[in-house]
Amino acid sequence: MPFKDPEVRLLFPVPFITIRLDGSEALNRRLLKEIGKRQRTEPGMLRSNRYGWHSAPDLFQRTEPAHAELIREIHAMVAACTAKLMPDFPKDLSPIHEGWVNVSPTHAMNSPHDHPGAFWSGTYYVQVPVPADPADKLSGAIEFIDPRGSIGSNARIDAPFTRGKFTVRPAAGTCLLWPSFVKHWVHPNHSKEERVTVAFNSWFARQKTAAAAVG
C-alpha cells in the first residue's frame, strides 16, 4: 500500500555551533602575548583543569587590547547565534557573560563537567598544537557527552541520533558554542606546545524597568 513521505521531527535537538573568525592570526598572536604576561603575574585557579593555568573568570572585565577585541567578537557571536536559533527571543532580555583563559601544557587536560546556571557555553581557540604523533586524533580534543543518558539497544546502530559522544579538535581561530547543560571534557595534550583557549558562559536577564532603576 503506498504512503506519503514520512514526517520527521527532531524532538530533543542539541545545537552545536562552529564559528570561524576570518583573519584571526594577528589577534591570536596578540592574545598569546597578553596571556603570557598574565601568567607571569597571576596565580591561576583550579577548576576542571588538571595541570595547566586557569585564569580568574574576569575576561569581560579585562582592558588589554586583544582581550577587548575578543570580548567584542564573543558579544557579536553569541548575539548572532541566539538570533539564528531563536528568532522570537524576548527583546527585553540582555546577555551577561563571564570568561576565562585556559593554558594547557603537555599532559594537561580538563575533567568532565558542565556549566550550571548558564544558557550558552563556548570556547575560542587561540593556539592548537600539533601532536607529536600525526595519527593522534585525541590530543587536546574536546569531547561532548550525550545528555540523554543511555539509549539502550539503539546504540548498536551508528547514526547521528544514537551517538553517545562527539569529539572535535578545532583549528585556531575557531569558536564553539553549545548549550551549557551538555557535559564535556578535554583529552590530555600530548604535544610539547601549549594549548591555549578562552572559555566563556552566557546567560540572559531582564532589563531593569525605569521604576526599578529609580528604586
Side-chain angles (χ1 to χ4, degrees):
M1 182 179 297
F3 55 86
K4 297 180 179 179
D5 289 339
E7 179 183 358
V8 179
R9 298 181 181 180
L10 299 177
L11 296 181
F12 306 107
V14 177
F16 180 76
I17 305 166
T18 302
I19 307 163
R20 294 176 179 83
L21 292 185
D22 293 332
S24 61
E25 293 82 2
L27 170 61
N28 290 343
R29 285 193 297 269
R30 291 187 288 118
L31 280 170
L32 288 173
K33 290 181 179 179
E34 293 177 0
I35 292 169
K37 184 177 181 180
R38 293 185 61 186
Q39 281 186 272
R40 293 190 292 271
T41 58
E42 300 176 23
M45 308 173 66
L46 178 62
R47 289 294 183 265
S48 69
N49 54 307
R50 298 297 177 261
Y51 310 109
W53 183 78
H54 182 303
S55 78
D58 61 354
L59 174 70
F60 290 85
Q61 288 76 52
R62 306 299 302 195
T63 58
E64 297 92 335
H67 280 62
E69 182 176 341
L70 180 60
I71 289 168
R72 291 191 294 271
E73 295 290 354
I74 291 174
H75 273 288
M77 289 186 289
V78 169
C81 293
T82 302
K84 184 178 181 67
L85 286 167
M86 295 170 281
D88 298 326
F89 191 79
K91 297 186 182 301
D92 63 339
L93 293 182
S94 298
I96 302 173
H97 309 282
E98 67 173 359
W100 57 95
V101 177
N102 283 305
V103 179
S104 302
T106 307
H107 305 309
M109 61 171 288
N110 289 77
S111 62
H113 64 285
D114 54 17
H115 297 255
F119 187 93
W120 293 118
S121 291
T123 300
Y124 176 74
Y125 289 79
V126 181
Q127 179 170 282
V128 181
V130 177
D133 181 0
D136 186 353
K137 304 299 183 183
L138 295 179
S139 175
I142 185 170
E143 185 166 288
F144 298 88
I145 302 170
D146 185 355
R148 299 170 299 177
S150 175
I151 56 174
S153 61
N154 286 339
R156 298 175 184 173
I157 301 174
D158 185 20
F161 65 90
T162 63
R163 185 177 296 147
K165 61 184 179 181
F166 176 73
T167 306
V168 61
R169 186 171 61 207
T174 303
C175 185
L176 304 180
L177 193 69
W178 64 89
S180 297
F181 61 79
V182 179
K183 195 176 292 292
H184 53 284
W185 68 290
V186 179
H187 285 264
N189 178 18
H190 296 154
S191 173
K192 295 181 180 179
E193 189 180 17
E194 293 178 329
R195 174 183 182 271
V196 183
T197 60
V198 175
F200 60 92
N201 290 321
S202 302
W203 61 97
F204 301 89
R206 296 200 178 278
Q207 299 174 2
K208 292 181 179 180
T209 63
V214 172

